[in-house]
């Protein structure tokens, strides 16, 4: 019999939005949490919302508000990603929910945070990572910084930071019995991700010039190179022993193992690596590097990644749900489950109180969409 998911006893109500909020909800659901997502009537479902049921509710109507408050009464965690002040105007802010459910962890996910000069302004991943300094180093020397899709801000500094904050608050609740309001901002989480760079910079090991550092393509042995077929390999041979293995693999002059820290020779070394890599196809280099410590790997697209033997062995990507093509990411401690319909979830949550005291149960029994 499979082990119980780690968050199986956790109830989460999520107000569906875009980006980091749904990502956090997906992760919590994959870890076993019992999540019910709330959306406006007629809303097009955002990405990463398919592994949990959705109830439609008009939050501006008294009936919709009472339905949601009834669910909040029984939740451990609330996640919302509206602009500051929206939940308060709906009568669903922390001051409205705390008297009803003192143990609720109220998680607020925004880009700029609940306070500060930019709190009320619009923005997206690119804006947040740009302001924190993280985007600046996604560039080669003299080149324009390259957006990293929305992986760094929305999901690394946003969704993951949100889940971490929620779990920390739940741990603290075990000793206090009280929840708390979490002001989770993408700028905060992304800035935290730059901790090592700030430490290096403070000790003189990192330059503010993009593309001039060992980890931002400044070093020729930590970069991406084009192969004979136009595809690419990633080389990350930072340590001396790994660089020596790379020199042997590429057939370079063994003297490079002595010269590698001489930055005046880095342009020459880069040309030597470029010329060597250009002599074979990507997959030929990947095959040649297999079993070595040269730290050379193929740069795969999303479809290719799902078919890589290592990722298959670890079940990192699993087939998409029936009727869909492609793959979905998985995590070792979790699994995609059938959480049931929204009505089934509301009935489960309402079972611990009489129906006449529970607007959610009453509404669900009538089959209403409020």
């Amino acid at each position: 019999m499979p082990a119980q998911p780690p968050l199986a006893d956790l109830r989460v109500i999520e107000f569906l939005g875009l980006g980091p909020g749904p990502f956090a909800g997906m992760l919590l659901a994959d870890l076993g949490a019992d999540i019910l997502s709330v959306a406006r009537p007629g809303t097009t479902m955002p990405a990463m919302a398919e592994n949990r049921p959705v109830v439609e509710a008009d939050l501006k109507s008294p009936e919709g508000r009472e339905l949601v408050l009834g669910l909040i009464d029984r939740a451990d965690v609330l996640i919302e990603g509206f602009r500051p002040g929206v939940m308060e105007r709906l009568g669903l802010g922390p001051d409205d929910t705390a008297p009803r459910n003192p143990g609720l962890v109220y998680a607020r996910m925004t880009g700029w945070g609940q306070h500060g000069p930019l709190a009320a302004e619009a923005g997206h991943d690119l804006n947040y990572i740009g302001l924190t300094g993280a985007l600046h180093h996604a560039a080669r020397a003299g080149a324009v910084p390259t957006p990293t899709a929305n992986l760094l801000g929305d999901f690394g500094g946003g969704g993951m930071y949100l889940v971490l904050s929620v779990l920390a608050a739940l741990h603290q609740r075990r000793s206090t019995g009280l929840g708390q309001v979490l002001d989770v901002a993408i700028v905060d989480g992304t800035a935290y991700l730059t901790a090592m760079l700030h430490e290096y910079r403070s000790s003189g090991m990192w330059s503010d010039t993009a593309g001039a550092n060992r980890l931002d393509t400044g070093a020729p042995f930590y970069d991406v190179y084009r192969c004979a077929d136009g595809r690419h390999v990633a080389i990350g041979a930072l340590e001396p022993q790994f660089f020596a293995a790379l020199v042997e693999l590429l057939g370079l002059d063994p003297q490079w193992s002595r010269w590698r820290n001489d930055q005046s020779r880095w342009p020459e070394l880069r040309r030597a690596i470029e010329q060597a890599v250009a002599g074979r196809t990507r997959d030929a280099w990947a095959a040649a590097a297999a079993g070595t410590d040269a730290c050379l790997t193929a740069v795969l697209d999303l479809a290719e990644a799902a078919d890589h033997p290592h990722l298959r062995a670890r079940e990192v990507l699993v087939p998409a749900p029936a009727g869909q093509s492609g793959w979905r990411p998985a995590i070792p401690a979790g699994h995609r489950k059938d959480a049931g319909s929204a009505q089934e979830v509301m009935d489960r949550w309402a079972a611990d109180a009489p129906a006449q005291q529970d607007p959610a149960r009453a509404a669900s029994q009538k089959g209403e969409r409020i």
Side-chain angles (χ1 to χ4, degrees), residues 26 68 165 175 218 232 242 285 294 304 321:
M26 178 186 74
V68 170
S165 301
S175 58
H232 301 85
F242 302 150
W285 277 122
E304 292 174 315

Side-chain angles (χ1 to χ4, degrees), residues 22 37 73 79 133 153 160 196 214 261 274 304 316 328 352:
S37 297
D73 288 347
I79 296 174
M160 285 289 191
M196 186 185 74
R214 292 169 69 88
N261 289 325
E274 287 175 345
E304 292 174 315
V316 172
R328 296 292 184 274
D352 58 3

Side-chain angles (χ1 to χ4, degrees), residues 124-143:
H124 280 293
D125 176 289
L126 198 61
N127 306 116
Y128 312 134
I129 68 174
L131 207 68
T132 59
L135 177 61
H136 177 73
H137 289 281
R140 299 181 185 281

